[in-house]
Amino acid sequence: MAQRPAWNLTSCREGVTLIQGEAFPGKEAGSTMKQQLIKAVGLDGRARDYIAYPKAVPPYPRSERIVGVKADRFRYHCGEGDMWPLTWGADGNIYAAAGDNKGSPMNFWRISQYSSWNNDGSGTANPAKLTNTNDWTIDLIDNLPVDPKIYCQNPAAPGIKPAGILDIDGTLYLAVEANSYGDRPLFNRQHNYHGWIITSADCGKTWNREATPTDFFTGRLSSCHFLQFGRGYQGARDGYVYAYFPVDEDGESYWENADGLLLGRVPKERILERGAWEFCASPDGTAWSREEQDARPVFSYYKMTGSDHVCYNPGLGCYLLGNYSFVDPQLHPRPIHQLSWPEAYRSQLTLFEAPEPWGPWSLFYQDDDWGTYGDYQPVFPTKWISPDGRCLFMVSSGSWDDYNFVVQKLALKLAGDADFPPESRYFTYR
């Protein structure tokens, strides 16, 4: 395991004092910041107080490129489970992993559709059609690609979840993470301890589970989320694979309510070589280092950064980042694992765009009470983006009735556009 930075956490009933640490917007580096606790009681009647971090206000300017978002009032639910990292396979299908369903902690799925969907043989999505028109299906391929009883030997991290997935010319790379459901009582988040990559050459029917050692990624790199380009990784910006890693000021990785994203890259033919990975060490992408400790966040949202996914939108020529984390009614960050339903299930969705994988990021959408039961992990399948980039499908998941493959269409209005694209006329049908 990677050694944690020297952080001191002194806790008491009245508050906590955080000393030293890496700078994130909302907290000054090297400062001493005393935080009060917000009183809360769980459904079991026990005190579940949590740290009163600053309110969730995105520290980024509004986008000058994307000036409006129209969301379909209908959301289509399919499958079951959550998280849903996905990639556009070389064979034309979308491949995805999910967590915690069908009696399994993690499984693997194929999303396929009819070639006539767009009437051009491409099989790409047609946003002018209604969402649920019997044109696509989701099928379970492997109900347990990785058995945690074999591969999760650290007693502190007995669970396993999918982090990111990528198809490169027909070979699937699935990044998985070992985790616990929280070990920080005053700000209790799902904690990722280490991660690794498994591969498949037959569309997920069989896996090489020893493609990398289970400690391939550790500490703040434990959750690897691949940047998505086109079909089979076509249309990539260069010969590298890029990946984002959610990170907290304490030098650890959490599923929700962390502080920022690190960015790594590796030559695509060397993705399974840990020593070939390097990390962005400057905010403008000009400095890269093989040393993990040199990595600096390329995206920061203090205590409001989730296990996020990023994709390239070729129609707009920019990168889209879907971010989530959980809040209380006053918009103070409050992890989903801090309380039980219904108190904890409120999330904030923020969408950002940038000209480069490292930014600079601009905010183009914000929903402070997202979904029905606090939804999470938005991702945009690159296959389901219109050629002009203005219509796209967002996949997410959530709790209770949203605990599955949730699909919602979005339409974007760009600066200079007279209106939203005409396909969005169906977003409010009765």
mmCIF file with all atom_site columns, all heavy atoms in Angstrom, residues 154-177:
data_model
loop_
_atom_site.group_PDB
_atom_site.id
_atom_site.type_symbol
_atom_site.label_atom_id
_atom_site.label_alt_id
_atom_site.label_comp_id
_atom_site.label_asym_id
_atom_site.label_entity_id
_atom_site.label_seq_id
_atom_site.pdbx_PDB_ins_code
_atom_site.Cartn_x
_atom_site.Cartn_y
_atom_site.Cartn_z
_atom_site.occupancy
_atom_site.B_iso_or_equiv
_atom_site.pdbx_formal_charge
_atom_site.auth_seq_id
_atom_site.auth_comp_id
_atom_site.auth_asym_id
_atom_site.auth_atom_id
_atom_site.pdbx_PDB_model_num
ATOM 1   N N   . ASN A 1 154 ? -7.051  -8.121 1.645   1.00 0.00 ? 154 ASN A N   1
ATOM 2   C CA  . ASN A 1 154 ? -6.877  -7.132 2.705   1.00 0.00 ? 154 ASN A CA  1
ATOM 3   C C   . ASN A 1 154 ? -8.170  -7.078 3.514   1.00 0.00 ? 154 ASN A C   1
ATOM 4   O O   . ASN A 1 154 ? -9.218  -6.692 2.988   1.00 0.00 ? 154 ASN A O   1
ATOM 5   C CB  . ASN A 1 154 ? -6.568  -5.767 2.106   1.00 0.00 ? 154 ASN A CB  1
ATOM 6   C CG  . ASN A 1 154 ? -6.339  -4.695 3.155   1.00 0.00 ? 154 ASN A CG  1
ATOM 7   O OD1 . ASN A 1 154 ? -6.534  -4.916 4.351   1.00 0.00 ? 154 ASN A OD1 1
ATOM 8   N ND2 . ASN A 1 154 ? -5.929  -3.520 2.710   1.00 0.00 ? 154 ASN A ND2 1
ATOM 9   N N   . PRO A 1 155 ? -8.161  -7.438 4.794   1.00 0.00 ? 155 PRO A N   1
ATOM 10  C CA  . PRO A 1 155 ? -9.401  -7.434 5.577   1.00 0.00 ? 155 PRO A CA  1
ATOM 11  C C   . PRO A 1 155 ? -10.036 -6.066 5.710   1.00 0.00 ? 155 PRO A C   1
ATOM 12  O O   . PRO A 1 155 ? -11.234 -5.960 5.976   1.00 0.00 ? 155 PRO A O   1
ATOM 13  C CB  . PRO A 1 155 ? -8.965  -7.980 6.943   1.00 0.00 ? 155 PRO A CB  1
ATOM 14  C CG  . PRO A 1 155 ? -7.486  -7.780 6.993   1.00 0.00 ? 155 PRO A CG  1
ATOM 15  C CD  . PRO A 1 155 ? -7.007  -7.898 5.595   1.00 0.00 ? 155 PRO A CD  1
ATOM 16  N N   . ALA A 1 156 ? -9.252  -5.002 5.516   1.00 0.00 ? 156 ALA A N   1
ATOM 17  C CA  . ALA A 1 156 ? -9.810  -3.648 5.576   1.00 0.00 ? 156 ALA A CA  1
ATOM 18  C C   . ALA A 1 156 ? -10.600 -3.310 4.323   1.00 0.00 ? 156 ALA A C   1
ATOM 19  O O   . ALA A 1 156 ? -11.384 -2.364 4.327   1.00 0.00 ? 156 ALA A O   1
ATOM 20  C CB  . ALA A 1 156 ? -8.698  -2.622 5.780   1.00 0.00 ? 156 ALA A CB  1
ATOM 21  N N   . ALA A 1 157 ? -10.393 -4.065 3.237   1.00 0.00 ? 157 ALA A N   1
ATOM 22  C CA  . ALA A 1 157 ? -11.052 -3.778 1.959   1.00 0.00 ? 157 ALA A CA  1
ATOM 23  C C   . ALA A 1 157 ? -11.601 -5.075 1.373   1.00 0.00 ? 157 ALA A C   1
ATOM 24  O O   . ALA A 1 157 ? -11.086 -5.596 0.376   1.00 0.00 ? 157 ALA A O   1
ATOM 25  C CB  . ALA A 1 157 ? -10.071 -3.118 0.996   1.00 0.00 ? 157 ALA A CB  1
ATOM 26  N N   . PRO A 1 158 ? -12.667 -5.605 1.947   1.00 0.00 ? 158 PRO A N   1
ATOM 27  C CA  . PRO A 1 158 ? -13.184 -6.892 1.487   1.00 0.00 ? 158 PRO A CA  1
ATOM 28  C C   . PRO A 1 158 ? -14.084 -6.814 0.266   1.00 0.00 ? 158 PRO A C   1
ATOM 29  O O   . PRO A 1 158 ? -14.412 -7.840 -0.325  1.00 0.00 ? 158 PRO A O   1
ATOM 30  C CB  . PRO A 1 158 ? -13.990 -7.374 2.693   1.00 0.00 ? 158 PRO A CB  1
ATOM 31  C CG  . PRO A 1 158 ? -14.488 -6.105 3.332   1.00 0.00 ? 158 PRO A CG  1
ATOM 32  C CD  . PRO A 1 158 ? -13.389 -5.103 3.131   1.00 0.00 ? 158 PRO A CD  1
ATOM 33  N N   . GLY A 1 159 ? -14.496 -5.613 -0.117  1.00 0.00 ? 159 GLY A N   1
ATOM 34  C CA  . GLY A 1 159 ? -15.435 -5.467 -1.222  1.00 0.00 ? 159 GLY A CA  1
ATOM 35  C C   . GLY A 1 159 ? -14.743 -5.185 -2.535  1.00 0.00 ? 159 GLY A C   1
ATOM 36  O O   . GLY A 1 159 ? -13.567 -4.810 -2.588  1.00 0.00 ? 159 GLY A O   1
ATOM 37  N N   . ILE A 1 160 ? -15.488 -5.347 -3.615  1.00 0.00 ? 160 ILE A N   1
ATOM 38  C CA  . ILE A 1 160 ? -14.938 -5.074 -4.940  1.00 0.00 ? 160 ILE A CA  1
ATOM 39  C C   . ILE A 1 160 ? -15.985 -4.364 -5.780  1.00 0.00 ? 160 ILE A C   1
ATOM 40  O O   . ILE A 1 160 ? -17.184 -4.642 -5.677  1.00 0.00 ? 160 ILE A O   1
ATOM 41  C CB  . ILE A 1 160 ? -14.476 -6.383 -5.617  1.00 0.00 ? 160 ILE A CB  1
ATOM 42  C CG1 . ILE A 1 160 ? -13.591 -6.080 -6.819  1.00 0.00 ? 160 ILE A CG1 1
ATOM 43  C CG2 . ILE A 1 160 ? -15.663 -7.260 -6.013  1.00 0.00 ? 160 ILE A CG2 1
ATOM 44  C CD1 . ILE A 1 160 ? -12.854 -7.284 -7.348  1.00 0.00 ? 160 ILE A CD1 1
ATOM 45  N N   . LYS A 1 161 ? -15.528 -3.403 -6.593  1.00 0.00 ? 161 LYS A N   1
ATOM 46  C CA  . LYS A 1 161 ? -16.408 -2.632 -7.462  1.00 0.00 ? 161 LYS A CA  1
ATOM 47  C C   . LYS A 1 161 ? -15.698 -2.364 -8.790  1.00 0.00 ? 161 LYS A C   1
ATOM 48  O O   . LYS A 1 161 ? -14.467 -2.326 -8.864  1.00 0.00 ? 161 LYS A O   1
ATOM 49  C CB  . LYS A 1 161 ? -16.776 -1.286 -6.825  1.00 0.00 ? 161 LYS A CB  1
ATOM 50  C CG  . LYS A 1 161 ? -17.571 -1.372 -5.542  1.00 0.00 ? 161 LYS A CG  1
ATOM 51  C CD  . LYS A 1 161 ? -19.012 -1.765 -5.783  1.00 0.00 ? 161 LYS A CD  1
ATOM 52  C CE  . LYS A 1 161 ? -19.820 -1.711 -4.502  1.00 0.00 ? 161 LYS A CE  1
ATOM 53  N NZ  . LYS A 1 161 ? -21.220 -2.156 -4.729  1.00 0.00 ? 161 LYS A NZ  1
ATOM 54  N N   . PRO A 1 162 ? -16.479 -2.124 -9.860  1.00 0.00 ? 162 PRO A N   1
ATOM 55  C CA  . PRO A 1 162 ? -15.856 -1.682 -11.111 1.00 0.00 ? 162 PRO A CA  1
ATOM 56  C C   . PRO A 1 162 ? -15.520 -0.205 -11.037 1.00 0.00 ? 162 PRO A C   1
ATOM 57  O O   . PRO A 1 162 ? -16.266 0.580  -10.460 1.00 0.00 ? 162 PRO A O   1
ATOM 58  C CB  . PRO A 1 162 ? -16.947 -1.955 -12.147 1.00 0.00 ? 162 PRO A CB  1
ATOM 59  C CG  . PRO A 1 162 ? -18.223 -1.779 -11.386 1.00 0.00 ? 162 PRO A CG  1
ATOM 60  C CD  . PRO A 1 162 ? -17.942 -2.273 -9.984  1.00 0.00 ? 162 PRO A CD  1
ATOM 61  N N   . ALA A 1 163 ? -14.396 0.184  -11.607 1.00 0.00 ? 163 ALA A N   1
ATOM 62  C CA  . ALA A 1 163 ? -14.002 1.593  -11.625 1.00 0.00 ? 163 ALA A CA  1
ATOM 63  C C   . ALA A 1 163 ? -14.118 2.163  -13.036 1.00 0.00 ? 163 ALA A C   1
ATOM 64  O O   . ALA A 1 163 ? -14.887 3.083  -13.290 1.00 0.00 ? 163 ALA A O   1
ATOM 65  C CB  . ALA A 1 163 ? -12.590 1.755  -11.083 1.00 0.00 ? 163 ALA A CB  1
ATOM 66  N N   . GLY A 1 164 ? -13.341 1.621  -13.968 1.00 0.00 ? 164 GLY A N   1
ATOM 67  C CA  . GLY A 1 164 ? -13.365 2.102  -15.342 1.00 0.00 ? 164 GLY A CA  1
ATOM 68  C C   . GLY A 1 164 ? -13.193 0.960  -16.313 1.00 0.00 ? 164 GLY A C   1
ATOM 69  O O   . GLY A 1 164 ? -12.689 -0.109 -15.956 1.00 0.00 ? 164 GLY A O   1
ATOM 70  N N   . ILE A 1 165 ? -13.613 1.166  -17.549 1.00 0.00 ? 165 ILE A N   1
ATOM 71  C CA  . ILE A 1 165 ? -13.487 0.147  -18.583 1.00 0.00 ? 165 ILE A CA  1
ATOM 72  C C   . ILE A 1 165 ? -13.135 0.822  -19.893 1.00 0.00 ? 165 ILE A C   1
ATOM 73  O O   . ILE A 1 165 ? -13.562 1.948  -20.160 1.00 0.00 ? 165 ILE A O   1
ATOM 74  C CB  . ILE A 1 165 ? -14.779 -0.689 -18.707 1.00 0.00 ? 165 ILE A CB  1
ATOM 75  C CG1 . ILE A 1 165 ? -14.596 -1.834 -19.695 1.00 0.00 ? 165 ILE A CG1 1
ATOM 76  C CG2 . ILE A 1 165 ? -15.957 0.186  -19.099 1.00 0.00 ? 165 ILE A CG2 1
ATOM 77  C CD1 . ILE A 1 165 ? -15.754 -2.805 -19.715 1.00 0.00 ? 165 ILE A CD1 1
ATOM 78  N N   . LEU A 1 166 ? -12.337 0.134  -20.696 1.00 0.00 ? 166 LEU A N   1
ATOM 79  C CA  . LEU A 1 166 ? -11.908 0.692  -21.983 1.00 0.00 ? 166 LEU A CA  1
ATOM 80  C C   . LEU A 1 166 ? -11.734 -0.433 -22.986 1.00 0.00 ? 166 LEU A C   1
ATOM 81  O O   . LEU A 1 166 ? -11.170 -1.479 -22.668 1.00 0.00 ? 166 LEU A O   1
ATOM 82  C CB  . LEU A 1 166 ? -10.589 1.447  -21.810 1.00 0.00 ? 166 LEU A CB  1
ATOM 83  C CG  . LEU A 1 166 ? -10.090 2.238  -23.019 1.00 0.00 ? 166 LEU A CG  1
ATOM 84  C CD1 . LEU A 1 166 ? -11.042 3.378  -23.349 1.00 0.00 ? 166 LEU A CD1 1
ATOM 85  C CD2 . LEU A 1 166 ? -8.691  2.783  -22.768 1.00 0.00 ? 166 LEU A CD2 1
ATOM 86  N N   . ASP A 1 167 ? -12.231 -0.213 -24.202 1.00 0.00 ? 167 ASP A N   1
ATOM 87  C CA  . ASP A 1 167 ? -11.993 -1.122 -25.326 1.00 0.00 ? 167 ASP A CA  1
ATOM 88  C C   . ASP A 1 167 ? -10.956 -0.492 -26.234 1.00 0.00 ? 167 ASP A C   1
ATOM 89  O O   . ASP A 1 167 ? -11.118 0.641  -26.699 1.00 0.00 ? 167 ASP A O   1
ATOM 90  C CB  . ASP A 1 167 ? -13.293 -1.381 -26.096 1.00 0.00 ? 167 ASP A CB  1
ATOM 91  C CG  . ASP A 1 167 ? -13.129 -2.396 -27.225 1.00 0.00 ? 167 ASP A CG  1
ATOM 92  O OD1 . ASP A 1 167 ? -12.355 -2.107 -28.169 1.00 0.00 ? 167 ASP A OD1 1
ATOM 93  O OD2 . ASP A 1 167 ? -13.763 -3.457 -27.166 1.00 0.00 ? 167 ASP A OD2 1
ATOM 94  N N   . ILE A 1 168 ? -9.874  -1.227 -26.493 1.00 0.00 ? 168 ILE A N   1
ATOM 95  C CA  . ILE A 1 168 ? -8.854  -0.791 -27.435 1.00 0.00 ? 168 ILE A CA  1
ATOM 96  C C   . ILE A 1 168 ? -8.731  -1.859 -28.506 1.00 0.00 ? 168 ILE A C   1
ATOM 97  O O   . ILE A 1 168 ? -8.210  -2.960 -28.252 1.00 0.00 ? 168 ILE A O   1
ATOM 98  C CB  . ILE A 1 168 ? -7.491  -0.556 -26.760 1.00 0.00 ? 168 ILE A CB  1
ATOM 99  C CG1 . ILE A 1 168 ? -7.608  0.471  -25.636 1.00 0.00 ? 168 ILE A CG1 1
ATOM 100 C CG2 . ILE A 1 168 ? -6.458  -0.094 -27.783 1.00 0.00 ? 168 ILE A CG2 1
ATOM 101 C CD1 . ILE A 1 168 ? -6.306  0.717  -24.899 1.00 0.00 ? 168 ILE A CD1 1
ATOM 102 N N   . ASP A 1 169 ? -9.265  -1.577 -29.680 1.00 0.00 ? 169 ASP A N   1
ATOM 103 C CA  . ASP A 1 169 ? -9.189  -2.494 -30.824 1.00 0.00 ? 169 ASP A CA  1
ATOM 104 C C   . ASP A 1 169 ? -9.690  -3.888 -30.492 1.00 0.00 ? 169 ASP A C   1
ATOM 105 O O   . ASP A 1 169 ? -9.141  -4.897 -30.968 1.00 0.00 ? 169 ASP A O   1
ATOM 106 C CB  . ASP A 1 169 ? -7.743  -2.570 -31.337 1.00 0.00 ? 169 ASP A CB  1
ATOM 107 C CG  . ASP A 1 169 ? -7.199  -1.212 -31.768 1.00 0.00 ? 169 ASP A CG  1
ATOM 108 O OD1 . ASP A 1 169 ? -7.995  -0.398 -32.271 1.00 0.00 ? 169 ASP A OD1 1
ATOM 109 O OD2 . ASP A 1 169 ? -5.991  -0.965 -31.582 1.00 0.00 ? 169 ASP A OD2 1
ATOM 110 N N   . GLY A 1 170 ? -10.734 -3.984 -29.667 1.00 0.00 ? 170 GLY A N   1
ATOM 111 C CA  . GLY A 1 170 ? -11.336 -5.269 -29.368 1.00 0.00 ? 170 GLY A CA  1
ATOM 112 C C   . GLY A 1 170 ? -10.862 -5.940 -28.100 1.00 0.00 ? 170 GLY A C   1
ATOM 113 O O   . GLY A 1 170 ? -11.408 -6.972 -27.706 1.00 0.00 ? 170 GLY A O   1
ATOM 114 N N   . THR A 1 171 ? -9.871  -5.387 -27.429 1.00 0.00 ? 171 THR A N   1
ATOM 115 C CA  . THR A 1 171 ? -9.441  -5.899 -26.127 1.00 0.00 ? 171 THR A CA  1
ATOM 116 C C   . THR A 1 171 ? -10.023 -5.019 -25.038 1.00 0.00 ? 171 THR A C   1
ATOM 117 O O   . THR A 1 171 ? -9.907  -3.790 -25.096 1.00 0.00 ? 171 THR A O   1
ATOM 118 C CB  . THR A 1 171 ? -7.909  -5.925 -25.999 1.00 0.00 ? 171 THR A CB  1
ATOM 119 O OG1 . THR A 1 171 ? -7.369  -6.817 -26.980 1.00 0.00 ? 171 THR A OG1 1
ATOM 120 C CG2 . THR A 1 171 ? -7.479  -6.397 -24.612 1.00 0.00 ? 171 THR A CG2 1
ATOM 121 N N   . LEU A 1 172 ? -10.668 -5.649 -24.072 1.00 0.00 ? 172 LEU A N   1
ATOM 122 C CA  . LEU A 1 172 ? -11.292 -4.918 -22.972 1.00 0.00 ? 172 LEU A CA  1
ATOM 123 C C   . LEU A 1 172 ? -10.338 -4.842 -21.786 1.00 0.00 ? 172 LEU A C   1
ATOM 124 O O   . LEU A 1 172 ? -9.725  -5.854 -21.399 1.00 0.00 ? 172 LEU A O   1
ATOM 125 C CB  . LEU A 1 172 ? -12.588 -5.591 -22.545 1.00 0.00 ? 172 LEU A CB  1
ATOM 126 C CG  . LEU A 1 172 ? -13.762 -5.471 -23.520 1.00 0.00 ? 172 LEU A CG  1
ATOM 127 C CD1 . LEU A 1 172 ? -14.865 -6.452 -23.125 1.00 0.00 ? 172 LEU A CD1 1
ATOM 128 C CD2 . LEU A 1 172 ? -14.304 -4.052 -23.559 1.00 0.00 ? 172 LEU A CD2 1
ATOM 129 N N   . TYR A 1 173 ? -10.233 -3.659 -21.212 1.00 0.00 ? 173 TYR A N   1
ATOM 130 C CA  . TYR A 1 173 ? -9.453  -3.424 -20.006 1.00 0.00 ? 173 TYR A CA  1
ATOM 131 C C   . TYR A 1 173 ? -10.431 -2.939 -18.933 1.00 0.00 ? 173 TYR A C   1
ATOM 132 O O   . TYR A 1 173 ? -11.034 -1.872 -19.063 1.00 0.00 ? 173 TYR A O   1
ATOM 133 C CB  . TYR A 1 173 ? -8.374  -2.369 -20.247 1.00 0.00 ? 173 TYR A CB  1
ATOM 134 C CG  . TYR A 1 173 ? -7.367  -2.777 -21.301 1.00 0.00 ? 173 TYR A CG  1
ATOM 135 C CD1 . TYR A 1 173 ? -7.632  -2.571 -22.656 1.00 0.00 ? 173 TYR A CD1 1
ATOM 136 C CD2 . TYR A 1 173 ? -6.168  -3.376 -20.945 1.00 0.00 ? 173 TYR A CD2 1
ATOM 137 C CE1 . TYR A 1 173 ? -6.722  -2.949 -23.628 1.00 0.00 ? 173 TYR A CE1 1
ATOM 138 C CE2 . TYR A 1 173 ? -5.240  -3.754 -21.910 1.00 0.00 ? 173 TYR A CE2 1
ATOM 139 C CZ  . TYR A 1 173 ? -5.520  -3.540 -23.250 1.00 0.00 ? 173 TYR A CZ  1
ATOM 140 O OH  . TYR A 1 173 ? -4.621  -3.932 -24.214 1.00 0.00 ? 173 TYR A OH  1
ATOM 141 N N   . LEU A 1 174 ? -10.608 -3.741 -17.891 1.00 0.00 ? 174 LEU A N   1
ATOM 142 C CA  . LEU A 1 174 ? -11.549 -3.417 -16.820 1.00 0.00 ? 174 LEU A CA  1
ATOM 143 C C   . LEU A 1 174 ? -10.767 -3.115 -15.548 1.00 0.00 ? 174 LEU A C   1
ATOM 144 O O   . LEU A 1 174 ? -10.078 -3.996 -15.006 1.00 0.00 ? 174 LEU A O   1
ATOM 145 C CB  . LEU A 1 174 ? -12.519 -4.578 -16.594 1.00 0.00 ? 174 LEU A CB  1
ATOM 146 C CG  . LEU A 1 174 ? -13.499 -4.450 -15.416 1.00 0.00 ? 174 LEU A CG  1
ATOM 147 C CD1 . LEU A 1 174 ? -14.356 -3.199 -15.546 1.00 0.00 ? 174 LEU A CD1 1
ATOM 148 C CD2 . LEU A 1 174 ? -14.381 -5.693 -15.317 1.00 0.00 ? 174 LEU A CD2 1
ATOM 149 N N   . ALA A 1 175 ? -10.839 -1.872 -15.081 1.00 0.00 ? 175 ALA A N   1
ATOM 150 C CA  . ALA A 1 175 ? -10.193 -1.480 -13.838 1.00 0.00 ? 175 ALA A CA  1
ATOM 151 C C   . ALA A 1 175 ? -11.160 -1.734 -12.682 1.00 0.00 ? 175 ALA A C   1
ATOM 152 O O   . ALA A 1 175 ? -12.309 -1.302 -12.719 1.00 0.00 ? 175 ALA A O   1
ATOM 153 C CB  . ALA A 1 175 ? -9.790  -0.007 -13.879 1.00 0.00 ? 175 ALA A CB  1
ATOM 154 N N   . VAL A 1 176 ? -10.698 -2.472 -11.683 1.00 0.00 ? 176 VAL A N   1
ATOM 155 C CA  . VAL A 1 176 ? -11.524 -2.780 -10.520 1.00 0.00 ? 176 VAL A CA  1
ATOM 156 C C   . VAL A 1 176 ? -10.842 -2.233 -9.271  1.00 0.00 ? 176 VAL A C   1
ATOM 157 O O   . VAL A 1 176 ? -9.638  -1.939 -9.276  1.00 0.00 ? 176 VAL A O   1
ATOM 158 C CB  . VAL A 1 176 ? -11.769 -4.296 -10.391 1.00 0.00 ? 176 VAL A CB  1
ATOM 159 C CG1 . VAL A 1 176 ? -12.545 -4.806 -11.597 1.00 0.00 ? 176 VAL A CG1 1
ATOM 160 C CG2 . VAL A 1 176 ? -10.453 -5.058 -10.267 1.00 0.00 ? 176 VAL A CG2 1
ATOM 161 N N   . GLU A 1 177 ? -11.624 -2.106 -8.202  1.00 0.00 ? 177 GLU A N   1
ATOM 162 C CA  . GLU A 1 177 ? -11.096 -1.528 -6.970  1.00 0.00 ? 177 GLU A CA  1
ATOM 163 C C   . GLU A 1 177 ? -11.582 -2.324 -5.775  1.00 0.00 ? 177 GLU A C   1
ATOM 164 O O   . GLU A 1 177 ? -12.711 -2.813 -5.761  1.00 0.00 ? 177 GLU A O   1
ATOM 165 C CB  . GLU A 1 177 ? -11.533 -0.063 -6.853  1.00 0.00 ? 177 GLU A CB  1
ATOM 166 C CG  . GLU A 1 177 ? -13.043 0.127  -6.874  1.00 0.00 ? 177 GLU A CG  1
ATOM 167 C CD  . GLU A 1 177 ? -13.474 1.545  -7.189  1.00 0.00 ? 177 GLU A CD  1
ATOM 168 O OE1 . GLU A 1 177 ? -12.693 2.279  -7.817  1.00 0.00 ? 177 GLU A OE1 1
ATOM 169 O OE2 . GLU A 1 177 ? -14.606 1.913  -6.823  1.00 0.00 ? 177 GLU A OE2 1
#
